[in-house]
Amino acid sequence: MRLLEMLSWPLMAVLLLSALRNVRARKCPRVCSCDSKKLTVACTGKNLTQVPPTINEITVKLDLKRNNLGDLVRGAFSHTPYLTHLDLRSCRINTVREGAFRALARLVQLDLTNNNIDIIHQESFDGLSSLKNLFLDRNRIEEIRPGAFSQMGSLTLLSLTHNQLVYIPNMAFQGLLNLQLLRLSYNSLNNLETEAFAGLLSLTRLSLDHNELQFFPTATMTRLVALTHLDWSFNPMTYLGEMTVSMPKLTHLSFAHMALQDLSVAALSLSPHLSHLDLSHNQLHYLQALTGTSQLQSLNLTANPLWCTCVLLELRVWARAGGVTLHGTCAGPPHLSDEPLEGVLEQDLRCRRQDGVMRMEEEEEEVQGTTTTPAVKKNDKCPENCLCEPEAQHVSCEERGLTKVPRGFHNNTLLLDMRGNHFHYLPSNSFRDVPRVVSLHLDGCKIHEVVDGAFRGLKKLVYLYLSNNELSSLGSSAFAGTQQLMYLHLDGNRLVRFPSMATLAHIPRLQELHLERNRITTLEPTGLLSPIPTLRGLYLTNNSISTAVPKALDPAPNLEILHLGANELTQVPSDALGHAPQLIELRLSGNPIRWIAAKAFQEVGKSLTHLYLDGQGLKKMDRDALAGLGPALLSLYLEDNQLENLPDLSPLTRLRHLTLDNNPLMCDCSLLPLHRWIEQTALNVSAVCGYPVELRGQTVMEVDVFRNCSSKTDHTTTNSTNLLEAPRSTKSKPLVLSAGKPKRKHRPTKAKPLVKPAKAASKKSGKSESSLNHHRMKNTKRFL
């Protein structure tokens, strides 16, 4: 029997091993190919509608490309927690639901290229804490919700090329502290908010080529302190002004294939480490020596209509002295045509006259007896005093002193720039020659009237800039015929009323409406946004708005950004906010709001991400002022106010940015909750004591006063003095109570919380109730 047992053990081991292999074999889905040694699974092109549930849990690489997954539901990969590489290319994915990838804490590469994703939601990529590379190219992404990448601190590469992005909001890439490469090429970007790239402290390479960016946003790009390579090519930018590019570590910059006609000599002076500059395929006729670029090694001017005369001499001498290699050839005069810039001798760069490039070109042509003309005149359909570039489909008639819109444009023009002229008014059918225009610039043209039907025929118009004119009103048919208009800039005019519903009815697809720096006083009537239900951004900063009727924004189903800063509001327009359920950013900075009542933001608490309450002279906040705001809120701006205390911040569990500069905080036990909150969250908050006097100027985290606050004291404080409208029971109380009228207004409410603590104190000390009432009356008289 013992011998039999000894002989059976090897047999049992073989059978057990065989069984384990069969189990593993059964783990491989029938339509997939599995490699148990490399721990890889491939299920490509099988028309799968869900992730196969029988994939071995120890799989590290999963290839599911070319399937039909549709929506990625929550926990879609919960059975494969060891994945490091996941390929989901061409899977017809429409939506990534919250928690879809939450189990994949080891994933380092995720490829979602060529799907149908249109919105990156706030929690789409939760759980991917180890992810290094994320590919989202060739989707339909038109929106990035702030906080979408906040849980991806390990990400180093993010690719979003060939999507439909038009706008990058503030804090869009928050949390990507280690991101090094960001690709945003081949989108339709035309607007980058000032804080769009905030927090990308490690980003070294950024691609923004093939977009619709018409200006270089200096303030936005300055935030990229570590950037070394920037590709801005294939954007319709015509001019680069003085000190425009301010990027201290930038070494490689591409402005190729744009519409540049002029470049300030100091445009790059604040980028001292620039070594390679690409200006090829633009409309530069000449270029002066660039200042502040002592480390420049290569300057590419290929395919520019450069006129090699005396105006280029300074550039040639500068390049030789600095060791800068010039790439490109001369477009004229004829005897130097096609001559490489490096091969032209300095003595050949001469002029007959110094009175302007265009005049000089004409004289050279007459001497040579040729009909050669500069590139700007190649198009025979170009009005006088305008510069036309048929290949770029761009026309500029900027600052030419024009008093009426010229005729004779090529009908394939897409971008028409007419800034800085003197049109005064726009008659009906002013732009019938350019039916395909997408972007029209009429900034600073002294326009005081737009006749009904002025833009009729511009059926493809998307961007209309009427900023800095003299418009005081708009007719009901001012924008008739522009049904595709999505971005309207009316800032810097003299409008006294919000555009009427009849006016807005002609632009039903509007997404952004800029009305900053006008003279609007009220937001009325009810439903003023009803004709433009797609509106996402409403900008009303620097008006004179003092009231907003409760249903002014009813309905505003897609409104995400509302700027009401620097107006005359004395209270938060809570009733109006209740009709904007998707509101993400609210700016109330600079309004004379001294008091914020309870539940002022409750209606938008679930969506609000950024709240600006700075510079208001704000003195008090009800203890429930922030009620309803919770995990969605990422930024809260309270600097430059008169706050001595704050409501409880503990519900704001995802708050990442809090500003409290220039607030006279009262550093006593009533501020202990704030002290503990800052300590627990480890946020870098600049909170400085204003009272008592002996602690003034010290930071809240440095003072020792909170060590003496017992848990019992803290409980009492929370239930009495932390009702921020109540009078303060400290020696500094008279200073606080005499600060202004708003405190008097809420006196009846303030007195109530003091009753119970006072009674408790009287019992301990043996004082009678009548003595206590006498003492109360005396204090009340002193306060009055």
Side-chain angles (χ1 to χ4, degrees):
M1 288 294 293
R2 188 173 298 174
L3 180 62
L4 185 60
E5 288 178 2
M6 293 176 63
L7 291 172
S8 64
W9 273 111
L11 180 61
M12 291 174 66
V14 170
L15 291 174
L16 181 61
L17 182 61
S18 177
L20 288 173
R21 285 176 178 172
N22 289 335
V23 169
R24 285 191 176 182
R26 285 198 300 271
K27 281 279 187 179
C28 186
R30 182 175 55 83
V31 296
C32 302
S33 173
C34 306
D35 189 327
S36 59
K37 292 182 179 179
K38 296 181 179 180
L39 301 179
T40 62
V41 175
C43 316
T44 62
K46 302 300 181 180
N47 202 31
L48 296 173
T49 57
Q50 64 176 0
V51 180
T54 57
I55 295 175
N56 197 325
E57 67 175 3
I58 63 173
T59 302
V60 294
K61 292 186 178 181
L62 176 59
D63 188 350
L64 290 171
K65 62 176 174 282
R66 299 196 305 278
N67 280 291
N68 188 21
L69 298 181
D71 289 0
L72 289 183
V73 298
R74 184 173 184 172
F77 300 93
S78 59
H79 56 291
T80 53
Y82 297 99
L83 284 183
T84 60
H85 291 72
L86 178 57
D87 193 338
L88 295 171
R89 287 177 288 173
S90 304
C91 284
R92 299 181 182 177
I93 297 170
N94 302 311
T95 306
V96 178
R97 301 293 180 186
E98 174 190 349
F101 302 111
R102 193 164 286 161
L104 303 182
R106 294 173 174 82
L107 199 69
V108 295
Q109 179 164 309
L110 174 59
D111 197 337
L112 285 161
T113 300
N114 198 28
N115 281 289
N116 301 321
I117 301 169
D118 57 354
I119 297 176
I120 302 179
H121 295 281
Q122 191 169 353
E123 298 180 339
S124 293
F125 299 112
D126 275 11
L128 299 178
S129 56
S130 300
L131 197 68
K132 299 287 185 182
N133 303 322
L134 175 58
F135 299 92
L136 288 162
D137 310 284
R138 297 186 183 279
N139 277 272
R140 300 176 181 177
I141 299 171
E142 58 183 26
E143 181 181 357
I144 300 174
R145 296 279 171 88
F149 305 110
S150 60
Q151 306 298 318
M152 305 173 72
S154 300
L155 201 68
T156 59
L157 184 155
L158 175 58
S159 190
L160 286 157
T161 66
H162 294 89
N163 277 287
Q164 298 175 16
L165 291 169
V166 174
Y167 164 72
I168 302 292
N170 287 327
M171 313 300 288
F173 304 104
Q174 184 186 20
L176 300 181
L177 298 178
N178 293 299
L179 192 69
Q180 298 175 15
L181 174 57
L182 176 59
R183 298 171 182 161
L184 292 167
S185 313
Y186 291 96
N187 278 278
S188 300
L189 290 171
N190 68 83
N191 188 8
L192 305 176
E193 281 288 356
T194 304
E195 302 294 335
F197 300 125
L200 299 180
L201 303 179
S202 302
L203 193 69
T204 58
R205 292 174 177 262
L206 174 61
S207 300
L208 283 164
D209 55 287
H210 292 86
N211 278 286
E212 298 296 329
L213 296 163
Q214 301 172 33
F215 306 99
F216 193 87
T218 304
T220 301
M221 305 306 293
T222 304
R223 304 307 198 260
L224 299 172
V225 294
L227 201 71
T228 59
H229 291 66
L230 175 60
D231 189 352
W232 199 274
S233 55
F234 291 94
N235 278 283
M237 194 165 69
T238 60
Y239 175 68
L240 204 63
E242 186 175 350
M243 294 185 289
T244 300
V245 184
S246 176
M247 309 183 77
K249 293 190 177 181
L250 194 66
T251 59
H252 291 70
L253 175 61
S254 177
F255 281 141
H257 291 275
M258 300 204 304
L260 282 175
Q261 300 166 13
D262 196 8
L263 188 75
S264 170
V265 296
L268 309 168
S269 60
L270 298 181
S271 300
H273 295 287
L274 193 64
S275 59
H276 293 77
L277 176 60
D278 190 351
L279 295 173
S280 61
H281 298 274
N282 277 287
Q283 300 174 24
L284 297 170
H285 293 275
Y286 67 95
L287 188 66
Q288 295 175 282
L290 301 175
T291 61
T293 54
S294 58
Q295 297 191 29
L296 197 65
Q297 301 172 15
S298 173
L299 176 56
N300 190 356
L301 292 166
T302 303
N304 277 279
L306 294 168
W307 211 251
C308 292
T309 55
C310 65
V311 293
L312 216 61
L313 179 60
E314 180 187 354
L315 179 70
R316 187 71 182 85
V317 173
W318 166 80
R320 180 171 53 79
V324 180
T325 303
L326 296 177
H327 301 276
T329 59
C330 301
H335 65 283
L336 292 177
S337 181
D338 296 325
E339 188 73 20
L341 294 177
E342 285 286 293
V344 177
L345 301 177
E346 292 174 10
Q347 54 266 33
D348 292 334
L349 298 174
R350 52 190 175 81
C351 297
R352 285 192 170 196
R353 297 178 61 178
Q354 304 284 336
D355 59 350
V357 180
M358 295 301 291
R359 176 64 178 161
M360 184 172 50
E361 293 170 358
E362 293 170 2
E363 290 185 355
E364 289 288 350
E365 291 167 12
E366 290 173 3
V367 170
Q368 296 298 327
T370 178
T371 58
T372 303
T373 57
V376 294
K377 293 191 175 182
K378 285 182 179 179
N379 180 14
D380 57 349
K381 297 194 73 173
C382 187
E384 188 177 357
N385 290 326
C386 293
L387 298 173
C388 303
E389 182 54 50
E391 293 180 0
Q393 297 175 296
H394 171 221
V395 176
S396 176
C397 309
E398 184 183 354
E399 296 182 351
R400 300 302 169 116
L402 301 173
T403 58
K404 63 179 181 179
V405 178
R407 302 291 186 192
F409 297 108
H410 199 286
N411 61 10
N412 73 343
T413 301
L414 297 182
L415 189 151
L416 179 55
D417 191 343
M418 311 188 80
R419 288 172 289 176
N421 286 291
H422 307 136
F423 295 137
H424 297 292
Y425 82 101
L426 295 177
S428 182
N429 297 310
S430 290
F431 302 94
R432 59 177 178 268
D433 287 353
V434 282
R436 298 180 61 191
V437 159
V438 172
S439 182
L440 176 59
H441 293 258
L442 294 166
D443 322 50
C445 287
K446 300 182 178 180
I447 300 170
H448 61 78
E449 182 183 359
V450 175
V451 177
D452 286 351
F455 306 104
R456 185 175 285 116
L458 296 179
K459 296 180 179 180
K460 298 183 180 296
L461 190 66
V462 175
Y463 311 98
L464 176 56
Y465 298 86
L466 284 165
S467 311
N468 303 314
N469 282 290
E470 300 173 7
L471 293 168
S472 58
S473 62
L474 293 166
S476 59
S477 299
F479 304 114
T482 61
Q483 293 87 352
Q484 300 300 315
L485 192 66
M486 297 173 69
Y487 302 90
L488 176 58
H489 291 255
L490 288 164
D491 44 302
N493 280 280
R494 301 175 181 177
L495 296 171
V496 296
R497 291 185 178 181
F498 197 89
S500 69
M501 288 188 281
T503 302
L504 297 176
H506 293 282
I507 44 177
R509 299 189 62 187
L510 198 66
Q511 292 196 14
E512 281 189 18
L513 178 56
H514 290 263
L515 289 163
E516 305 97 314
R517 295 179 290 110
N518 276 283
R519 302 174 183 178
I520 301 170
T521 57
T522 60
L523 291 183
E524 58 180 356
T526 295
L528 57 86
L529 299 183
S530 55
I532 44 176
T534 59
L535 193 71
R536 293 186 176 184
L538 178 57
Y539 303 86
L540 288 160
T541 306
N542 279 295
N543 277 277
S544 301
I545 299 171
S546 58
T547 58
V549 299
K551 293 187 177 181
L553 305 181
D554 181 16
N558 294 293
L559 191 65
E560 296 180 348
I561 299 174
L562 178 59
H563 287 191
L564 287 168
N567 278 285
E568 297 178 9
L569 294 168
T570 57
Q571 59 183 2
V572 178
S574 304
D575 292 337
L577 297 179
H579 303 283
Q582 302 299 322
L583 198 65
I584 292 175
E585 179 178 314
L586 174 61
R587 289 183 184 244
L588 293 169
S589 314
N591 280 282
I593 300 175
R594 305 292 185 257
W595 164 266
I596 296 183
K599 302 179 181 180
F601 308 101
Q602 183 163 352
E603 295 295 335
V604 289
K606 293 182 179 180
S607 62
L608 201 62
T609 303
H610 306 288
L611 177 57
Y612 294 79
L613 300 172
D614 50 301
Q616 297 181 337
L618 184 61
K619 295 179 179 180
K620 297 288 182 182
M621 298 176 73
D622 188 278
R623 68 176 176 185
D624 293 324
L626 302 179
L629 294 172
L633 197 69
L634 300 177
S635 304
L636 177 59
Y637 298 84
L638 287 166
E639 71 267 24
D640 300 317
N641 282 303
Q642 296 296 316
L643 291 171
E644 295 183 14
N645 209 327
L646 269 78
D648 182 19
L649 299 179
S650 58
L652 310 181
T653 55
R654 297 187 64 190
L655 195 65
R656 296 293 178 266
H657 190 68
L658 172 65
T659 61
L660 284 171
D661 309 76
N662 301 320
N663 276 286
L665 298 174
M666 173 64 76
C667 287
D668 58 15
C669 291
S670 67
L671 205 66
L672 181 60
L674 175 64
H675 178 274
R676 287 179 175 173
W677 183 85
I678 296 176
E679 193 173 45
Q680 291 169 1
T681 58
L683 290 183
N684 183 18
V685 180
S686 177
V688 178
C689 301
Y691 299 101
V693 176
E694 59 268 22
L695 297 180
R696 184 171 294 166
Q698 299 185 45
T699 65
V700 170
M701 300 307 295
E702 291 176 351
V703 296
D704 296 329
V705 67
F706 301 108
R707 295 181 182 178
N708 302 321
C709 297
S710 65
S711 57
K712 184 177 180 181
T713 305
D714 180 28
H715 176 76
T716 305
T717 299
T718 303
N719 288 281
S720 60
T721 57
N722 201 37
L723 291 173
L724 298 181
E725 70 276 23
R728 192 181 305 279
S729 56
T730 66
K731 291 183 179 180
S732 302
K733 177 167 54 178
L735 294 174
V736 178
L737 293 176
S738 60
K741 294 181 180 179
K743 297 177 179 66
R744 235 179 241 194
K745 181 178 179 180
H746 298 276
R747 196 185 315 126
T749 307
K750 293 177 181 179
K752 289 181 181 178
L754 294 179
V755 174
K756 289 184 180 178
K759 283 183 178 179
S762 67
K763 288 180 181 178
K764 282 189 176 182
S765 61
K767 290 182 180 181
S768 67
E769 183 65 25
S770 61
S771 174
L772 181 61
N773 287 335
H774 175 73
H775 179 68
R776 254 189 230 137
M777 291 290 291
K778 187 177 179 181
N779 280 342
T780 304
K781 288 179 180 178
R782 185 174 60 178
F783 167 56
L784 292 173

